[in-house]
Amino acid sequence: MNSNSEISRSWLLVNAMHHEQFDVAAKSRADEIILDVEDAVDPKFKGEALEKVINWLNDEGTGWVRINDYTTDFWRQDLDGLKGVKGLKGVMLAKTETASQVTETYAALGSTLPVIALVESALGIEDSREIASAKGAYRLAFGSGDYRRDTGTSVDDLAMAYPRSKLVVASRIGNLPGPIDGPTVGSNHAVLREKSELAVALGMTGKLCLDTSQLAVINETICPTVADVTWAHDFISDFEARGRVIRDGSDLPRLGRAEKIMKLANAFNISPR
């Protein structure tokens, strides 16, 4: 897993009832793993699932946990169980709709662990600017399936561009990394690549997934290309060689883009040609 979650690309959701998959997921190509005690788990098994997660995290495991939403009784149960757990990197708060839900989750975990706000409804999308600015908010993520169910929106790219763009703009205003896109269901890697490329074009910088077979495609797509890295490397080298002198109004924006690309290239071991 990647040590810098701010730039992590692939976020693998793992059903918390499937304890045998925890180690497999941790050894996979996923930048991050999220043990899911929310939608993946039947209500009557949520306590058992949480116990499996706590035991694994306390026994040298490391990862995130998708907890139940604030409006349920399970929210408090999840937080009480997870507080102080050794390998917990942070939580993903399901069905986030208000900034206060983020801040209360953050406080309940001792105000030390980050909260990824999973936005899955019309209200959440419209209030995403406040959510992104909430104390404890780390990144925004898009619960695309539940959003479509809530709004009646189709899976069409144009129809789904608005909520994705709202999360991108909200993240920028809240000074957060780019948001994490929802999963693409299915085994067609061409479709997955197309959807990942669209997410990147809109300004998203990560993607949820449900299957380890999708990880390589996501990691490759949500990453600077060799051509991008080569351009950034050459631009910075030239800029330094001329004493960092600004020639025109395009230099500073291009420098900012080049530095961002090189940060990612260094993190993901992409070399210029």
Side-chain angles (χ1 to χ4, degrees):
M1 290 190 294
N2 181 36
S3 60
N4 186 354
S5 303
E6 289 187 353
I7 60 173
S8 290
R9 305 155 296 180
S10 52
W11 295 73
L12 178 64
L13 283 160
V14 183
N15 187 326
M17 285 299 291
H18 296 169
H19 176 264
E20 72 281 0
Q21 292 298 316
F22 293 0
D23 286 335
V24 175
K27 295 173 183 176
S28 73
R29 292 185 173 90
D31 285 343
E32 306 286 347
I33 64 169
I34 308 169
L35 307 178
D36 186 6
V37 298
E38 195 236 354
D39 273 356
V41 179
D42 186 279
K44 63 178 174 288
F45 296 126
K46 286 187 183 288
E48 180 183 347
L50 180 62
E51 184 178 355
K52 291 177 185 293
V53 167
I54 292 169
N55 290 339
W56 186 77
L57 291 173
N58 275 327
D59 186 26
E60 307 304 325
T62 304
W64 297 72
V65 177
R66 177 162 78 165
I67 62 172
N68 289 277
D69 75 85
Y70 178 86
T71 65
T72 69
D73 293 335
F74 297 115
W75 174 80
R76 176 57 66 181
Q77 173 183 287
D78 293 343
L79 295 174
D80 287 345
L82 290 169
K83 188 174 182 180
V85 168
K86 185 170 60 173
L88 182 64
K89 297 183 73 172
V91 298
M92 173 176 279
L93 177 61
K95 299 176 176 63
T96 305
E97 292 192 320
T98 67
S100 63
Q101 292 174 356
V102 175
T103 57
E104 288 189 46
T105 299
Y106 180 63
L109 286 170
S111 301
T112 57
L113 292 173
V115 178
I116 295 173
L118 183 61
V119 181
E120 310 184 66
S121 66
L123 178 58
I125 289 295
E126 287 306 290
D127 285 355
S128 57
R129 176 176 176 175
E130 290 73 22
I131 292 170
S133 299
K135 186 175 183 181
Y138 185 70
R139 287 178 79 166
L140 302 183
F142 185 31
S144 48
D146 277 347
Y147 173 81
R148 290 197 302 272
R149 182 173 62 186
D150 184 45
T151 61
T153 304
S154 79
V155 73
D156 180 79
D157 291 342
L158 180 60
M160 294 292 280
Y162 173 76
R164 288 186 168 107
S165 293
K166 283 279 288 188
L167 294 179
V168 169
V169 173
S171 295
R172 180 66 192 93
I173 292 171
N175 199 31
L176 302 182
I180 303 163
D181 193 23
T184 297
V185 179
S187 58
N188 189 319
H189 282 186
V191 172
L192 175 62
R193 185 177 298 276
E194 178 184 328
K195 297 299 184 182
S196 299
E197 288 174 347
L198 174 64
V200 171
L202 290 171
M204 307 187 99
T205 59
K207 191 169 180 64
L208 294 169
C209 62
L210 307 173
D211 192 323
T212 55
S213 69
Q214 295 186 328
L215 295 170
V217 175
I218 292 172
N219 287 344
E220 179 185 347
T221 307
I222 307 182
C223 215
T225 64
V226 173
D228 287 338
V229 174
T230 301
W231 169 82
H233 176 269
D234 291 350
F235 179 86
I236 292 174
S237 296
D238 178 66
F239 189 68
E240 295 290 344
R242 55 184 158 89
R244 301 182 66 87
V245 174
I246 303 297
R247 296 174 300 186
D248 57 48
S250 70
D251 266 355
L252 286 180
R254 287 195 292 169
L255 177 63
R257 177 172 180 264
E259 289 176 339
K260 182 178 180 180
I261 289 172
M262 291 308 300
K263 176 184 177 181
L264 295 174
N266 292 331
F268 300 126
N269 298 315
I270 304 171
S271 301
R273 286 182 183 168

